[in-house]
């Protein structure tokens, strides 16, 4: 498998998932402004959506959408317990978190990376209410699905890396601050961060 990624982008959570699962994979860095690989290859030719992450499977198929790549990888290594078994209520709870993070958190960050200050107020307030909700869950348990680290935690951690001042300060929520430190300390997370810096 090959993961197309950009340092610091939302390709980090499937990258963490691949390392947590202990599956072999290669990394291919994408310049997401130019939509090109290091050697000048047009990235649109690989992923017509133009964005990262994309996972190239061993048969050449390209799988996109981070939350789906996470599930694909977790299902390749069920013993890693990165997701509950398909069809169980716990699995739907995990998917509920993945969908929530993708639609209510991930995409709300967009304007906060821009330069239009007025356009940031609404998204910042919306993110605040979403973080209130996540923090309420994490106040009484270490991970989104209680005691077990899952791909939903990798996704949330990826989003919280973006949640620093002046965008929005994750440290304002003690439960988010503690969660961030807990996930940040995982060897697979540190390995992913180090590999993305190379
Ligand atoms: N829905 C996609 C969104 C991916 C996305 O927004 N990727 C950003 C980086 S975080 C990107 O590559 N942007 C460049 C572009 O859209 O051309 C997912 O969740 O995987």
């Amino acid at each position: 498998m090959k993961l197309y990624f950009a340092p610091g982008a939302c390709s980090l959570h499937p990258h963490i998932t691949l390392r947590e699962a202990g599956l072999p994979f290669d990394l291919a860095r994408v310049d997401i402004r130019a939509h090109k690989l290091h050697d000048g290859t047009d990235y649109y030719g690989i992923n017509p959506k133009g964005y990262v992450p994309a996972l190239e499977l061993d048969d050449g198929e390209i799988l996109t959408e981070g939350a789906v790549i996470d599930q694909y990888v977790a299902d390749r290594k069920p013993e890693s317990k990165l997701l509950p078994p398909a069809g169980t209520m716990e699995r739907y709870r995990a998917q509920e978190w993945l969908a929530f993070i993708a639609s209510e958190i991930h995409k709300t960050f967009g304007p906060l990376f821009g330069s239009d200050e007025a356009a940031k107020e609404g998204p910042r307030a919306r993110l605040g209410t979403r973080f209130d909700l996540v923090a309420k869950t994490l106040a009484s348990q270490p991970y989104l699905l209680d005691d077990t680290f899952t791909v939903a935690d990798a996704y949330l951690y990826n989003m919280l890396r973006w949640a620093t001042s002046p965008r929005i300060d994750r440290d304002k929520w003690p439960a988010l601050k503690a969660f961030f430190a807990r996930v940040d300390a995982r060897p697979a997370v540190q390995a992913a961060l180090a590999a993305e810096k190379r």
Side-chain angles (χ1 to χ4, degrees):
M1 289 186 286
K2 189 193 286 180
L3 179 70
Y4 291 89
F5 84 104
C10 54
S11 38
L12 179 62
H13 64 96
H15 185 180
I16 291 170
T17 298
L18 279 159
R19 288 183 188 273
E20 291 278 357
L23 293 168
F25 67 99
D26 294 319
L27 281 173
R29 192 179 177 131
V30 181
D31 178 338
I32 50 175
R33 291 223 169 84
H35 301 103
K36 288 196 186 313
L37 302 191
H38 187 61
D39 64 1
T41 303
D42 179 17
Y43 182 56
Y44 281 112
I46 296 165
N47 174 12
K49 290 174 172 170
Y51 52 62
V52 292
L55 186 69
E56 190 176 309
L57 309 184
D58 293 340
D59 64 3
E61 264 201 62
I62 296 286
L63 188 64
T64 62
E65 302 306 322
V68 174
I69 296 173
D70 283 339
Q71 295 181 66
Y72 176 85
V73 172
D75 286 340
R76 303 278 77 67
K77 203 65 182 293
E79 62 272 32
S80 65
K81 296 200 176 345
L82 286 163
L83 275 176
T88 61
M89 192 58 207
E90 291 74 24
R91 175 64 166 246
Y92 292 114
R93 289 293 176 207
Q95 288 171 314
E96 188 178 27
W97 277 119
L98 288 170
F100 177 78
I101 297 166
S103 59
E104 301 296 326
I105 296 181
H106 184 169
K107 285 294 143 182
T108 307
F109 266 103
L112 300 184
F113 284 103
S115 53
D116 181 347
E117 289 305 317
K120 296 182 185 183
E121 276 175 38
R124 188 178 284 122
R126 257 198 319 283
L127 267 182
T129 63
R130 304 312 184 238
F131 282 175
D132 286 345
L133 210 134
V134 176
K136 210 169 155 194
T137 296
L138 291 173
S140 58
Q141 59 192 56
Y143 298 114
L144 291 171
L145 270 93
D146 214 345
D147 285 339
T148 310
F149 176 89
T150 68
V151 300
D153 298 299
Y155 199 177
L156 178 62
Y157 169 82
N158 192 166
M159 297 299 103
L160 290 178
R161 287 189 68 82
W162 298 347
T164 53
S165 187
R167 285 185 289 272
I168 184 166
D169 184 5
R170 63 180 180 244
D171 289 353
K172 278 200 276 178
W173 290 266
L176 297 187
K177 187 178 177 185
F179 170 86
F180 186 85
R182 191 175 301 126
V183 177
D184 194 58
R186 295 178 74 85
V189 172
Q190 286 305 313
L193 293 173
E196 293 202 358
K197 273 198 203 122
R198 270 182 231 130

PDB file of all heavy atoms in Angstrom, residues 9-11 13 32 35 44 49-53 64-67 102 106-107 155 162, ligand 1:
ATOM      1  N   ALA A   9      -1.152  17.780   7.243  1.00  0.00           N
ATOM      2  CA  ALA A   9      -2.512  17.824   6.681  1.00  0.00           C
ATOM      3  C   ALA A   9      -3.378  16.718   7.286  1.00  0.00           C
ATOM      4  O   ALA A   9      -2.958  15.986   8.192  1.00  0.00           O
ATOM      5  CB  ALA A   9      -2.438  17.694   5.163  1.00  0.00           C
ATOM      6  N   CYS A  10      -4.577  16.564   6.745  1.00  0.00           N
ATOM      7  CA  CYS A  10      -5.512  15.572   7.269  1.00  0.00           C
ATOM      8  C   CYS A  10      -5.184  14.156   6.797  1.00  0.00           C
ATOM      9  O   CYS A  10      -5.992  13.241   7.014  1.00  0.00           O
ATOM     10  CB  CYS A  10      -6.943  15.945   6.908  1.00  0.00           C
ATOM     11  SG  CYS A  10      -7.148  16.206   5.135  1.00  0.00           S
ATOM     12  N   SER A  11      -4.026  14.000   6.191  1.00  0.00           N
ATOM     13  CA  SER A  11      -3.538  12.649   5.879  1.00  0.00           C
ATOM     14  C   SER A  11      -2.856  12.036   7.107  1.00  0.00           C
ATOM     15  O   SER A  11      -2.499  10.853   7.092  1.00  0.00           O
ATOM     16  CB  SER A  11      -2.566  12.684   4.700  1.00  0.00           C
ATOM     17  OG  SER A  11      -1.741  13.824   4.751  1.00  0.00           O
ATOM     18  N   HIS A  13      -4.130  11.315  10.057  1.00  0.00           N
ATOM     19  CA  HIS A  13      -4.866  10.260  10.809  1.00  0.00           C
ATOM     20  C   HIS A  13      -4.793   8.898  10.129  1.00  0.00           C
ATOM     21  O   HIS A  13      -4.525   7.904  10.823  1.00  0.00           O
ATOM     22  CB  HIS A  13      -6.283  10.702  11.224  1.00  0.00           C
ATOM     23  CG  HIS A  13      -7.258  10.996  10.148  1.00  0.00           C
ATOM     24  ND1 HIS A  13      -8.174  10.082   9.702  1.00  0.00           N
ATOM     25  CD2 HIS A  13      -7.478  12.118   9.448  1.00  0.00           C
ATOM     26  CE1 HIS A  13      -8.930  10.654   8.763  1.00  0.00           C
ATOM     27  NE2 HIS A  13      -8.518  11.885   8.588  1.00  0.00           N
ATOM     28  N   ILE A  32       0.385  19.904  -2.083  1.00  0.00           N
ATOM     29  CA  ILE A  32      -1.061  20.075  -2.294  1.00  0.00           C
ATOM     30  C   ILE A  32      -1.412  21.452  -2.863  1.00  0.00           C
ATOM     31  O   ILE A  32      -2.552  21.707  -3.217  1.00  0.00           O
ATOM     32  CB  ILE A  32      -1.919  19.750  -1.039  1.00  0.00           C
ATOM     33  CG1 ILE A  32      -1.405  20.451   0.203  1.00  0.00           C
ATOM     34  CG2 ILE A  32      -2.036  18.265  -0.831  1.00  0.00           C
ATOM     35  CD1 ILE A  32      -2.315  20.252   1.429  1.00  0.00           C
ATOM     36  N   HIS A  35      -0.351  20.396  -6.549  1.00  0.00           N
ATOM     37  CA  HIS A  35      -0.964  19.122  -6.933  1.00  0.00           C
ATOM     38  C   HIS A  35       0.010  18.269  -7.735  1.00  0.00           C
ATOM     39  O   HIS A  35      -0.325  17.723  -8.788  1.00  0.00           O
ATOM     40  CB  HIS A  35      -2.298  19.344  -7.674  1.00  0.00           C
ATOM     41  CG  HIS A  35      -3.286  20.100  -6.841  1.00  0.00           C
ATOM     42  ND1 HIS A  35      -3.558  21.431  -7.022  1.00  0.00           N
ATOM     43  CD2 HIS A  35      -4.029  19.703  -5.781  1.00  0.00           C
ATOM     44  CE1 HIS A  35      -4.435  21.836  -6.111  1.00  0.00           C
ATOM     45  NE2 HIS A  35      -4.731  20.798  -5.352  1.00  0.00           N
ATOM     46  N   TYR A  44      -3.336  14.875  -9.864  1.00  0.00           N
ATOM     47  CA  TYR A  44      -4.708  14.651 -10.340  1.00  0.00           C
ATOM     48  C   TYR A  44      -4.800  13.354 -11.148  1.00  0.00           C
ATOM     49  O   TYR A  44      -5.855  12.733 -11.221  1.00  0.00           O
ATOM     50  CB  TYR A  44      -5.193  15.820 -11.206  1.00  0.00           C
ATOM     51  CG  TYR A  44      -5.628  17.029 -10.406  1.00  0.00           C
ATOM     52  CD1 TYR A  44      -4.884  18.210 -10.447  1.00  0.00           C
ATOM     53  CD2 TYR A  44      -6.779  16.995  -9.628  1.00  0.00           C
ATOM     54  CE1 TYR A  44      -5.275  19.319  -9.716  1.00  0.00           C
ATOM     55  CE2 TYR A  44      -7.177  18.106  -8.892  1.00  0.00           C
ATOM     56  CZ  TYR A  44      -6.426  19.258  -8.945  1.00  0.00           C
ATOM     57  OH  TYR A  44      -6.819  20.356  -8.217  1.00  0.00           O
ATOM     58  N   LYS A  49      -9.545  13.827  -7.265  1.00  0.00           N
ATOM     59  CA  LYS A  49     -10.040  14.828  -6.308  1.00  0.00           C
ATOM     60  C   LYS A  49      -8.948  15.849  -5.987  1.00  0.00           C
ATOM     61  O   LYS A  49      -9.243  16.920  -5.461  1.00  0.00           O
ATOM     62  CB  LYS A  49     -10.517  14.137  -5.026  1.00  0.00           C
ATOM     63  CG  LYS A  49     -11.804  13.333  -5.215  1.00  0.00           C
ATOM     64  CD  LYS A  49     -12.146  12.548  -3.949  1.00  0.00           C
ATOM     65  CE  LYS A  49     -13.521  11.895  -4.041  1.00  0.00           C
ATOM     66  NZ  LYS A  49     -13.744  10.943  -2.921  1.00  0.00           N
ATOM     67  N   GLY A  50      -7.713  15.493  -6.204  1.00  0.00           N
ATOM     68  CA  GLY A  50      -6.602  16.430  -6.016  1.00  0.00           C
ATOM     69  C   GLY A  50      -6.136  16.596  -4.582  1.00  0.00           C
ATOM     70  O   GLY A  50      -5.139  17.245  -4.327  1.00  0.00           O
ATOM     71  N   TYR A  51      -6.883  16.027  -3.642  1.00  0.00           N
ATOM     72  CA  TYR A  51      -6.480  16.225  -2.249  1.00  0.00           C
ATOM     73  C   TYR A  51      -5.935  14.952  -1.610  1.00  0.00           C
ATOM     74  O   TYR A  51      -6.100  13.849  -2.125  1.00  0.00           O
ATOM     75  CB  TYR A  51      -7.614  16.840  -1.416  1.00  0.00           C
ATOM     76  CG  TYR A  51      -8.992  16.189  -1.434  1.00  0.00           C
ATOM     77  CD1 TYR A  51      -9.199  14.895  -0.973  1.00  0.00           C
ATOM     78  CD2 TYR A  51     -10.106  16.907  -1.858  1.00  0.00           C
ATOM     79  CE1 TYR A  51     -10.479  14.340  -0.945  1.00  0.00           C
ATOM     80  CE2 TYR A  51     -11.389  16.363  -1.838  1.00  0.00           C
ATOM     81  CZ  TYR A  51     -11.560  15.084  -1.383  1.00  0.00           C
ATOM     82  OH  TYR A  51     -12.825  14.534  -1.346  1.00  0.00           O
ATOM     83  N   VAL A  52      -5.242  15.163  -0.482  1.00  0.00           N
ATOM     84  CA  VAL A  52      -4.776  14.045   0.333  1.00  0.00           C
ATOM     85  C   VAL A  52      -5.778  13.887   1.476  1.00  0.00           C
ATOM     86  O   VAL A  52      -6.456  14.857   1.836  1.00  0.00           O
ATOM     87  CB  VAL A  52      -3.348  14.312   0.897  1.00  0.00           C
ATOM     88  CG1 VAL A  52      -2.335  14.325  -0.222  1.00  0.00           C
ATOM     89  CG2 VAL A  52      -3.273  15.571   1.746  1.00  0.00           C
ATOM     90  N   PRO A  53      -5.877  12.690   2.075  1.00  0.00           N
ATOM     91  CA  PRO A  53      -5.110  11.479   1.792  1.00  0.00           C
ATOM     92  C   PRO A  53      -5.721  10.672   0.641  1.00  0.00           C
ATOM     93  O   PRO A  53      -6.904  10.800   0.333  1.00  0.00           O
ATOM     94  CB  PRO A  53      -5.256  10.695   3.107  1.00  0.00           C
ATOM     95  CG  PRO A  53      -6.628  11.068   3.601  1.00  0.00           C
ATOM     96  CD  PRO A  53      -6.809  12.509   3.218  1.00  0.00           C
ATOM     97  N   THR A  64     -10.030   6.903  -1.396  1.00  0.00           N
ATOM     98  CA  THR A  64      -9.942   8.253  -0.827  1.00  0.00           C
ATOM     99  C   THR A  64     -10.932   8.406   0.319  1.00  0.00           C
ATOM    100  O   THR A  64     -11.714   7.502   0.600  1.00  0.00           O
ATOM    101  CB  THR A  64     -10.227   9.333  -1.894  1.00  0.00           C
ATOM    102  OG1 THR A  64     -11.566   9.171  -2.376  1.00  0.00           O
ATOM    103  CG2 THR A  64      -9.241   9.250  -3.056  1.00  0.00           C
ATOM    104  N   GLU A  65     -10.876   9.578   0.937  1.00  0.00           N
ATOM    105  CA  GLU A  65     -11.663   9.975   2.114  1.00  0.00           C
ATOM    106  C   GLU A  65     -11.052   9.325   3.361  1.00  0.00           C
ATOM    107  O   GLU A  65     -11.193   8.119   3.605  1.00  0.00           O
ATOM    108  CB  GLU A  65     -13.159   9.641   1.980  1.00  0.00           C
ATOM    109  CG  GLU A  65     -13.822  10.295   0.774  1.00  0.00           C
ATOM    110  CD  GLU A  65     -13.633  11.817   0.697  1.00  0.00           C
ATOM    111  OE1 GLU A  65     -13.664  12.490   1.744  1.00  0.00           O
ATOM    112  OE2 GLU A  65     -13.408  12.333  -0.414  1.00  0.00           O
ATOM    113  N   GLY A  66     -10.404  10.191   4.133  1.00  0.00           N
ATOM    114  CA  GLY A  66      -9.650   9.724   5.296  1.00  0.00           C
ATOM    115  C   GLY A  66     -10.426   8.783   6.207  1.00  0.00           C
ATOM    116  O   GLY A  66      -9.902   7.754   6.647  1.00  0.00           O
ATOM    117  N   ALA A  67     -11.698   9.125   6.488  1.00  0.00           N
ATOM    118  CA  ALA A  67     -12.467   8.317   7.431  1.00  0.00           C
ATOM    119  C   ALA A  67     -12.747   6.922   6.878  1.00  0.00           C
ATOM    120  O   ALA A  67     -12.952   5.966   7.641  1.00  0.00           O
ATOM    121  CB  ALA A  67     -13.788   9.022   7.756  1.00  0.00           C
ATOM    122  N   ALA A 102     -15.565  14.440  10.615  1.00  0.00           N
ATOM    123  CA  ALA A 102     -15.387  14.840   9.212  1.00  0.00           C
ATOM    124  C   ALA A 102     -16.284  16.023   8.850  1.00  0.00           C
ATOM    125  O   ALA A 102     -15.844  16.985   8.210  1.00  0.00           O
ATOM    126  CB  ALA A 102     -15.683  13.660   8.286  1.00  0.00           C
ATOM    127  N   HIS A 106     -13.733  18.850  10.950  1.00  0.00           N
ATOM    128  CA  HIS A 106     -12.709  18.976   9.902  1.00  0.00           C
ATOM    129  C   HIS A 106     -13.009  20.145   8.961  1.00  0.00           C
ATOM    130  O   HIS A 106     -12.207  21.062   8.801  1.00  0.00           O
ATOM    131  CB  HIS A 106     -12.654  17.644   9.133  1.00  0.00           C
ATOM    132  CG  HIS A 106     -11.601  17.553   8.094  1.00  0.00           C
ATOM    133  ND1 HIS A 106     -11.284  16.371   7.482  1.00  0.00           N
ATOM    134  CD2 HIS A 106     -10.784  18.482   7.522  1.00  0.00           C
ATOM    135  CE1 HIS A 106     -10.313  16.563   6.612  1.00  0.00           C
ATOM    136  NE2 HIS A 106     -10.001  17.845   6.616  1.00  0.00           N
ATOM    137  N   LYS A 107     -14.171  20.137   8.354  1.00  0.00           N
ATOM    138  CA  LYS A 107     -14.450  21.133   7.325  1.00  0.00           C
ATOM    139  C   LYS A 107     -14.725  22.521   7.903  1.00  0.00           C
ATOM    140  O   LYS A 107     -14.638  23.514   7.194  1.00  0.00           O
ATOM    141  CB  LYS A 107     -15.588  20.653   6.419  1.00  0.00           C
ATOM    142  CG  LYS A 107     -15.116  19.563   5.460  1.00  0.00           C
ATOM    143  CD  LYS A 107     -14.101  20.127   4.453  1.00  0.00           C
ATOM    144  CE  LYS A 107     -12.992  19.168   4.101  1.00  0.00           C
ATOM    145  NZ  LYS A 107     -11.988  19.705   3.161  1.00  0.00           N
ATOM    146  N   TYR A 155      -8.236  10.520  14.269  1.00  0.00           N
ATOM    147  CA  TYR A 155      -8.810  11.624  13.496  1.00  0.00           C
ATOM    148  C   TYR A 155      -8.968  12.867  14.384  1.00  0.00           C
ATOM    149  O   TYR A 155      -8.590  13.985  14.006  1.00  0.00           O
ATOM    150  CB  TYR A 155     -10.154  11.183  12.912  1.00  0.00           C
ATOM    151  CG  TYR A 155     -10.690  11.996  11.754  1.00  0.00           C
ATOM    152  CD1 TYR A 155     -11.878  11.604  11.129  1.00  0.00           C
ATOM    153  CD2 TYR A 155     -10.044  13.132  11.269  1.00  0.00           C
ATOM    154  CE1 TYR A 155     -12.395  12.320  10.051  1.00  0.00           C
ATOM    155  CE2 TYR A 155     -10.570  13.851  10.188  1.00  0.00           C
ATOM    156  CZ  TYR A 155     -11.748  13.438   9.594  1.00  0.00           C
ATOM    157  OH  TYR A 155     -12.262  14.152   8.534  1.00  0.00           O
ATOM    158  N   TRP A 162      -4.497  21.118  14.799  1.00  0.00           N
ATOM    159  CA  TRP A 162      -4.780  22.409  14.147  1.00  0.00           C
ATOM    160  C   TRP A 162      -5.382  23.419  15.132  1.00  0.00           C
ATOM    161  O   TRP A 162      -5.474  24.604  14.814  1.00  0.00           O
ATOM    162  CB  TRP A 162      -5.787  22.215  13.002  1.00  0.00           C
ATOM    163  CG  TRP A 162      -5.337  21.321  11.888  1.00  0.00           C
ATOM    164  CD1 TRP A 162      -4.070  20.847  11.643  1.00  0.00           C
ATOM    165  CD2 TRP A 162      -6.162  20.795  10.830  1.00  0.00           C
ATOM    166  NE1 TRP A 162      -4.063  20.063  10.513  1.00  0.00           N
ATOM    167  CE2 TRP A 162      -5.340  20.023   9.992  1.00  0.00           C
ATOM    168  CE3 TRP A 162      -7.516  20.919  10.523  1.00  0.00           C
ATOM    169  CZ2 TRP A 162      -5.817  19.359   8.857  1.00  0.00           C
ATOM    170  CZ3 TRP A 162      -8.000  20.266   9.395  1.00  0.00           C
ATOM    171  CH2 TRP A 162      -7.157  19.496   8.574  1.00  0.00           C
TER     172      TRP A 162
HETATM  173  N1  LIG B   1     -12.982  14.884   2.419  1.00  0.00           N
HETATM  174  C1  LIG B   1     -11.557  14.727   2.364  1.00  0.00           C
HETATM  175  C2  LIG B   1     -10.923  16.107   2.521  1.00  0.00           C
HETATM  176  C3  LIG B   1      -9.430  16.066   2.306  1.00  0.00           C
HETATM  177  C4  LIG B   1      -8.795  17.454   2.386  1.00  0.00           C
HETATM  178  O1  LIG B   1      -9.460  18.467   2.663  1.00  0.00           O
HETATM  179  N2  LIG B   1      -7.459  17.489   2.142  1.00  0.00           N
HETATM  180  C5  LIG B   1      -6.713  18.734   2.141  1.00  0.00           C
HETATM  181  C6  LIG B   1      -5.566  18.692   3.154  1.00  0.00           C
HETATM  182  S1  LIG B   1      -6.153  18.590   4.841  1.00  0.00           S
HETATM  183  C7  LIG B   1      -6.054  18.914   0.762  1.00  0.00           C
HETATM  184  O2  LIG B   1      -5.362  18.037   0.287  1.00  0.00           O
HETATM  185  N3  LIG B   1      -6.311  20.059   0.118  1.00  0.00           N
HETATM  186  C8  LIG B   1      -5.774  20.368  -1.185  1.00  0.00           C
HETATM  187  C9  LIG B   1      -6.839  20.428  -2.240  1.00  0.00           C
HETATM  188  O3  LIG B   1      -8.035  20.274  -1.916  1.00  0.00           O
HETATM  189  O4  LIG B   1      -6.486  20.604  -3.378  1.00  0.00           O
HETATM  190  C10 LIG B   1     -11.087  13.764   3.465  1.00  0.00           C
HETATM  191  O5  LIG B   1     -11.596  13.861   4.588  1.00  0.00           O
HETATM  192  O6  LIG B   1     -10.224  12.920   3.197  1.00  0.00           O
END
